[in-house]
Amino acid sequence: MQNIKKYIDQHKDRFLDELTELLKIPSISADSAYKNDVLKTADHIKASLEKAGCENVEICETKGYPIVYGDKIIDKNLPTVLVYGHYDVQPPDPINLWNSPPFEPVIKKTELHPEGAIFARGACDDKGQMYMHVKAMELMTQTNQLPCNVKFMIEGEEEVGSSSLSDFVKENHEKLSNDVILISDTGMIAPDVPSITTGLRGLSYVEVEITGPNRDLHSGLYGGAVANPINVLTKMIASLHDENNHITIPGFYDKVEELSKEERAEMAKAPFSLDNYKKALDIDAVYGEAGYSTNERNSIRPTLDVNGIWGGYTGEGAKTVIASQAFAKISMRLVPNQDWKEITELFKKHFESIAPEGVKVKVTPHHGGQGYVTPIDSVGYQAASKAYADTFGKTPIPQRSGGSIPIVSLFEQELKSKTILMGFGLDSDAIHSPNEHFGVWNYLKGIETIPYFYHYFTELNK
Ligand code: BES
Ligand code: MN
Ligand code: MN
């Protein structure tokens, strides 16, 4: 491949300026107050795909936020790469913990990003990573080295469950037909330890509600004589793990695939420092399921976590009250073979069964999705591996991630193709947290590596 580094060098300031403009639009899909901004972002993506050399660029309307599609078909006999990404972002709150406003991007140096990182909501997840593909497309068309066909599909509802995209994929098999799906929406181990994500966890997200007496009560007059919904809820939640931090829901582990000793030994080879891990989070010990390492706990093992809990009086001072209701939001991260709908049912049945007399329980499922694992002997993986070897000077390590992109298993089911997860973010980039950022080096390295993927994928398919 020619002139890739040179092109990036000549255009890198503009590449950063363009990303900055994109990051200024608060495309928060979860909050309807930002509807116009989300729609504006879709228009912005459409224009940037056109500028990068895509044809047939269109805004595909859905029941929710639109999907931006664009393609460049150079020869029907050549392979087709389908690029997926998302232009929506997580809400930025708690806003007071940001060192600079979330939608006013700034570049600052950090210990892990000595060349600077761009700080803004969506910088890494996923605007920055998605935009690497747009710029790689520009680079390939401008330098006449696009070796195969490309399709782009960029959605605006990933952070809220991708429901419109599921329908879109089911209804557009022909339009979206491809030989491989390419996504940058995950991470890598470190700048000097490139890795390719080979697994994602599934997800089941539920909300629970405990109702006791029909109104809030004086905690002196009624305390001790009626079930307190907050006491009950916390006790029920506490019982969902045993003393080894195993999840106690009957049947929860039935389909969990146990990795062989060899596979676990292979995983353990990935460089990891427990000390640095603890230091970065300012904790004096890690915590989790007995019998598994930290990296196993956050990738190949399923989990159950409370994401939010509320009820009763939380204002200033003290109010003596027994609340009528208590609530919690609970997520379960699942591993391949666990079916998210089945797990949601198991949770519901169990949670309802452990409620004591004197309260009512309501379990409301939110969204969910299946996990995913991809083999490392596929043409797509091999092409990605060669691409990293060229640009990082090292063969990348396969790594299963703990995060979820539920739509990936649907892609496989509907479009019958494998997904390659070329993530360039770091775990410390604070996605979904205050001060999210994406390394300038990582951004440019991504733009550099992607064209090599196209090159090798086309070569290996000959
Ligand atoms: N890009 C993330 C998922 C991710 C991040 C996977 C890093 C692996 C490494 C994605 O945008 C995300 O946040 N997914 C949600 C699930 C979704 C249904 C809201 C998640 O994992 O919580
Ligand atoms: Mn994402
Ligand atoms: Mn996300």
Side-chain angles (χ1 to χ4, degrees):
M1 303 221 70
Q2 289 163 8
N3 295 333
I4 293 190
K5 274 216 161 111
K6 192 172 147 207
Y7 190 90
I8 293 173
D9 228 42
Q10 280 168 351
H11 298 275
K12 63 177 185 225
D13 291 340
R14 178 173 55 82
F15 287 176
L16 278 168
D17 291 345
E18 287 178 18
L19 177 57
T20 300
E21 288 309 306
L22 179 61
L23 290 169
K24 282 182 188 168
I25 322 174
S27 51
I28 307 164
S29 52
D31 188 343
S32 57
Y34 293 88
K35 187 172 175 200
N36 286 335
D37 291 300
V38 184
L39 296 173
K40 198 171 128 192
T41 312
D43 290 331
H44 192 105
I45 301 294
K46 176 175 185 268
S48 61
L49 284 177
E50 279 162 348
K51 240 181 75 191
C54 282
E55 291 163 0
N56 307 309
V57 185
E58 51 177 322
I59 299 258
C60 306
E61 298 298 341
T62 70
K63 277 186 216 145
Y65 287 123
I67 292 151
V68 189
Y69 175 88
D71 63 27
K72 176 118 181 146
I73 308 297
I74 56 172
D75 180 346
K76 289 227 148 50
N77 297 314
L78 285 168
T80 301
V81 176
L82 174 67
V83 176
Y84 162 82
H86 62 95
Y87 64 81
D88 64 322
V89 302
Q90 284 277 326
D93 52 87
I95 211 114
N96 58 319
L97 295 183
W98 284 77
N99 298 325
S100 56
F103 298 105
E104 292 172 30
V106 285
I107 294 177
K108 281 184 291 190
K109 288 187 178 152
T110 74
E111 204 181 311
L112 288 173
H113 296 294
E115 313 195 12
I118 183 157
F119 283 75
R121 171 56 86 231
C124 179
D125 183 13
D126 180 40
K127 282 175 172 167
Q129 296 216 69
M130 175 266 293
Y131 208 68
M132 296 180 315
H133 288 270
V134 181
K135 292 299 98 180
M137 175 72 184
E138 174 198 309
L139 184 156
M140 289 186 287
T141 49
Q142 287 296 319
T143 59
N144 289 317
Q145 358 185 28
L146 180 67
C148 62
N149 306 314
V150 193
K151 295 176 178 176
F152 276 85
M153 174 172 71
I154 314 295
E155 72 153 318
E157 293 182 343
E158 196 276 343
E159 300 292 7
V160 290
S162 301
S163 57
S164 303
L165 185 65
S166 327
D167 295 339
F168 184 77
V169 170
K170 286 177 190 157
E171 288 157 14
N172 289 285
H173 284 189
E174 190 55 40
K175 185 189 184 91
L176 302 174
S177 67
N178 66 80
D179 297 284
V180 73
I181 297 169
L182 184 59
I183 304 180
S184 294
D185 193 22
T186 55
M188 61 178 191
I189 296 175
D192 57 347
V193 190
S195 60
I196 297 174
T197 306
T198 51
L200 293 164
R201 286 196 284 193
L203 181 70
S204 164
Y205 201 107
V206 297
E207 188 165 327
V208 297
E209 180 186 304
I210 301 290
T211 307
N214 59 0
R215 60 188 167 89
D216 288 8
L217 301 172
H218 188 288
S219 66
L221 298 184
Y222 289 92
V226 295
N228 174 331
I230 301 176
N231 291 9
V232 168
L233 175 62
T234 50
K235 200 166 164 183
M236 286 167 72
I237 287 172
S239 79
L240 296 175
H241 290 93
D242 68 13
E243 67 282 5
N244 289 316
N245 282 316
H246 288 300
I247 293 155
T248 55
I249 301 169
F252 186 85
Y253 290 100
D254 282 2
K255 296 194 175 162
V256 169
E257 166 202 34
E258 293 288 340
L259 266 65
S260 66
K261 259 200 186 128
E262 291 72 29
E263 285 173 292
R264 291 178 69 183
E266 197 54 43
M267 262 189 82
K269 283 188 193 157
F272 175 72
S273 154
L274 194 58
D275 277 339
N276 289 348
Y277 188 84
K278 289 190 286 190
K279 216 169 102 194
L281 300 176
D282 200 9
I283 49 176
D284 57 11
V286 289
Y287 184 93
E289 189 181 5
Y292 295 93
S293 70
T294 295
N295 276 337
E296 291 173 336
R297 287 171 179 165
N298 68 25
S299 65
I300 60 165
R301 298 300 295 167
T303 60
L304 184 151
D305 278 294
V306 178
N307 293 243
I309 182 163
W310 69 101
Y313 184 69
T314 56
E316 197 184 330
K319 178 186 177 193
T320 48
V321 67
I322 292 176
S324 158
Q325 288 192 301
F327 308 84
K329 290 183 193 278
I330 297 174
S331 68
M332 286 162 278
R333 294 283 167 172
L334 310 175
V335 295
N337 295 344
Q338 281 184 299
D339 181 80
W340 77 272
K341 288 190 173 145
E342 212 174 295
I343 292 291
T344 306
E345 265 315 301
L346 289 178
F347 175 90
K348 189 169 188 294
K349 220 174 107 199
H350 178 67
F351 207 69
E352 285 166 356
S353 80
I354 60 174
E357 282 182 350
V359 298
K360 294 187 211 61
V361 194
K362 194 168 142 200
V363 176
T364 312
H366 273 264
H367 54 271
Q370 296 301 104
Y372 185 72
V373 266
T374 187
I376 62 169
D377 58 4
S378 69
V379 172
Y381 188 92
Q382 291 305 319
S385 182
K386 280 171 171 288
Y388 281 73
D390 280 1
T391 59
F392 286 78
K394 270 184 194 173
T395 302
I397 299 173
Q399 188 203 26
R400 275 172 66 168
S401 169
S404 308
I405 311 178
I407 201 73
V408 171
S409 74
L410 189 104
F411 289 160
E412 177 151 280
Q413 196 186 309
E414 294 292 324
L415 304 174
K416 313 285 175 223
S417 42
K418 295 262 170 272
T419 290
I420 302 301
L421 298 156
M422 289 179 42
F424 294 90
L426 303 182
D427 278 357
S428 53
D429 285 346
I431 63 171
H432 294 206
S433 297
N435 304 310
E436 175 177 352
H437 54 282
F438 188 37
V440 171
W441 184 88
N442 302 62
Y443 177 57
L444 298 176
K445 205 64 178 171
I447 299 172
E448 184 189 344
T449 308
I450 291 162
Y452 285 90
F453 172 82
Y454 282 77
H455 168 77
Y456 285 120
F457 188 72
T458 310
E459 283 288 301
L460 293 172
N461 266 295
K462 271 185 186 149

